[in-house]
Amino acid sequence: MELKIKQFRYGSDNLGYVAFGPKSAIAIDGGAVEDILSFVGSRRLELTYVANTHSHMDHTFGNQALLDQTGAKFLDFGTLLKQETIDIDGDPIRVIHTPGHTTDSVCFYFDSILVSGDTLFCGKVGRCFTGDLHAFLHSIKTLLKLPPQTRVYAGHDYVEEYMAFASQLEFDNKFIAPYLQNYDPTHVVATLAEELRVDPFLRFNDEKIIAILKNKGLKVKTEYDRWESLFSLM
């Protein structure tokens, strides 16, 4: 049986998740504590694990309350990397180390679902707080190897802001309007294929994006040059 996912919005734009099978569940970036507890209770699920996409406080502050009220086990960054997979009712969740936004950033992949934290948003990649753009490029290229039907569940809802940026950069992109029409703030998700049509940060090898960067007088010679040039526009 495939695992399912439930999205929880908390704060102004944070998004947290419960991935669950018929009996067990894991909370990822569980800031919406009461809503998560209500959900797992109504489904008669055992919250087995609590984990995070990275260690920024807006993603971790719900951890202790969830642990105290459920008896779940916390999977820290080191454990996630060592285990590489998390078992929920016999189904594996793959842990992908994606340094860039932070050194301890990870994504969770299962059943064509990617919980991407602040590595990849719907509409744009995250900010590179580590300063290591080489590592971040490698992380994004790793995610781009996933199947195009992969559904991206990010750590924040910045869709409208980032589509405004994309529209300004590439005003004639015919895919942006339908992307925005499909945007639902109560369930923020897009496929990787959809992201590749609208997110300039995923199209660093696209001839049109290269031409835009070149016209702005930015470096375009190598793949990394183009990646760095895109970040200079943030």
Side-chain angles (χ1 to χ4, degrees):
M1 181 179 290
E2 288 187 351
L3 298 179
K4 298 180 180 179
I5 191 164
K6 173 68 174 177
Q7 184 179 81
F8 298 87
R9 194 179 187 110
Y10 63 99
S12 61
D13 52 49
N14 271 87
L15 301 170
Y17 300 93
V18 168
F20 61 99
K23 298 179 179 179
S24 305
I26 178 173
I28 302 171
D29 295 348
V33 174
E34 296 307 319
D35 288 341
I36 288 172
L37 292 174
S38 177
F39 177 78
V40 297
S42 67
R43 294 277 184 138
R44 298 183 179 179
L45 296 169
E46 178 186 359
L47 189 65
T48 309
Y49 301 114
V50 171
N52 300 111
T53 57
H54 61 294
S55 59
H56 282 168
M57 183 62 68
D58 59 323
H59 296 264
T60 65
F61 72 83
N63 289 354
Q64 197 58 54
L66 290 173
L67 295 171
D68 290 344
Q69 296 184 60
T70 65
K73 178 182 178 182
F74 179 61
L75 301 176
D76 62 20
F77 173 66
T79 301
L80 291 170
L81 289 193
K82 183 177 180 179
Q83 288 190 186
E84 297 183 344
T85 59
I86 304 162
D87 183 279
I88 300 293
D89 291 339
D91 285 311
I93 297 175
R94 177 185 166 195
V95 179
I96 306 172
H97 186 202
T98 52
H101 179 70
T102 62
T103 56
D104 63 358
S105 289
V106 296
C107 297
F108 301 89
Y109 179 70
F110 58 96
D111 299 327
S112 295
I113 291 170
L114 179 71
V115 180
S116 55
D118 291 7
T119 296
L120 177 61
F121 299 119
C122 290
K124 196 169 74 62
V125 300
R127 293 188 179 276
C128 187
F129 289 126
T130 63
D132 190 348
L133 284 173
H134 286 281
F136 205 174
L137 176 59
H138 182 268
S139 296
I140 292 299
K141 289 175 70 175
T142 297
L143 297 184
L144 291 178
K145 294 175 184 177
L146 297 173
Q149 69 269 23
T150 298
R151 290 176 286 160
V152 178
Y153 284 95
H156 293 268
D157 174 10
Y158 296 144
V159 170
E160 292 178 320
E161 175 189 347
Y162 288 164
M163 284 302 94
F165 170 84
S167 296
Q168 186 177 27
L169 185 67
E170 191 182 13
F171 66 90
D172 58 347
N173 186 327
K174 65 181 181 180
F175 297 108
I176 292 177
Y179 184 94
L180 281 169
Q181 288 173 357
N182 290 330
Y183 163 60
D184 178 359
T186 68
H187 186 76
V188 183
V189 64
T191 66
L192 197 55
E194 289 169 329
E195 291 303 311
L196 281 163
R197 296 188 188 111
V198 300
D199 183 350
F201 285 82
L202 302 185
R203 297 165 56 217
F204 41 82
N205 289 328
D206 185 280
E207 289 184 3
K208 190 176 178 184
I209 295 299
I210 293 171
I212 290 170
L213 295 175
K214 190 173 182 180
N215 287 338
K216 289 181 176 292
L218 298 171
K219 295 185 296 182
V220 297
K221 184 176 181 180
T222 67
E223 188 174 72
Y224 178 77
D225 284 342
R226 300 188 288 273
W227 173 252
E228 187 178 41
S229 291
L230 282 163
F231 269 84
S232 74
L233 300 174
M234 290 181 73

